[in-house]
Amino acid sequence: MNTSPKQLKRERRHRRVRAKVVGTAKRPRLSIFRSNMRIVAQIIDDTRGVTLASVSSAEEKGKTPRERAEAAAATLAKRAAEKKVKQVVFDRGGFLYAGTIKAFADAARAAGLEF
């Protein structure tokens, strides 16, 4: 299976970001993956290698991908609050901070996550 140059560039950017962004018990990492159909986000404690909370925009209701991303961010913030997680480190996963990624981040901040 050949990977496209576009995907290789994203993976290279993601490795660059991951070299600097590390989630701890106090500030876990909010990792985002965006496909053509949905956004998947996880809150990860890298020191233990444990996923504390996760959400997919496929679970959410909404007409546009942006609305589903915003609803998913609110759900993730609620699940994080149940685990007593307030502060996170944002990992954009090599994707540009624009469009649905930015909408997700803004909605997560509005729902109570700090980053």
Side-chain angles (χ1 to χ4, degrees), residues 21-32 41-46 52-54 73 76-81 83-92 104-115:
V21 177
V22 177
T24 62
K26 279 190 160 188
R27 283 187 72 158
R29 176 170 55 100
L30 170 57
S31 176
I32 290 190
Q42 299 177 344
I43 295 180
I44 304 166
D45 178 3
D46 288 321
L52 304 173
S54 66
L76 184 67
K78 186 177 74 171
R79 290 178 185 170
K83 300 277 185 169
K84 296 180 178 39
V85 174
K86 184 107 172 131
Q87 292 185 331
V88 295
V89 179
F90 190 69
D91 175 12
R92 60 189 174 88
F104 184 93
D106 292 341
R109 284 189 191 103
L113 285 178
E114 296 175 8
F115 57 94

Side-chain angles (χ1 to χ4, degrees), residues 44-98:
I44 304 166
D45 178 3
D46 288 321
T47 55
R48 293 186 299 153
V50 175
T51 299
L52 304 173
S54 66
V55 70
S56 172
S57 63
E59 306 168 359
E60 305 299 327
K61 301 263 191 270
K63 288 188 175 186
T64 65
R66 182 185 202 103
E67 290 173 357
R68 289 190 295 273
E70 290 170 349
T75 302
L76 184 67
K78 186 177 74 171
R79 290 178 185 170
E82 291 171 0
K83 300 277 185 169
K84 296 180 178 39
V85 174
K86 184 107 172 131
Q87 292 185 331
V88 295
V89 179
F90 190 69
D91 175 12
R92 60 189 174 88
F95 298 102
L96 288 176
Y97 187 78

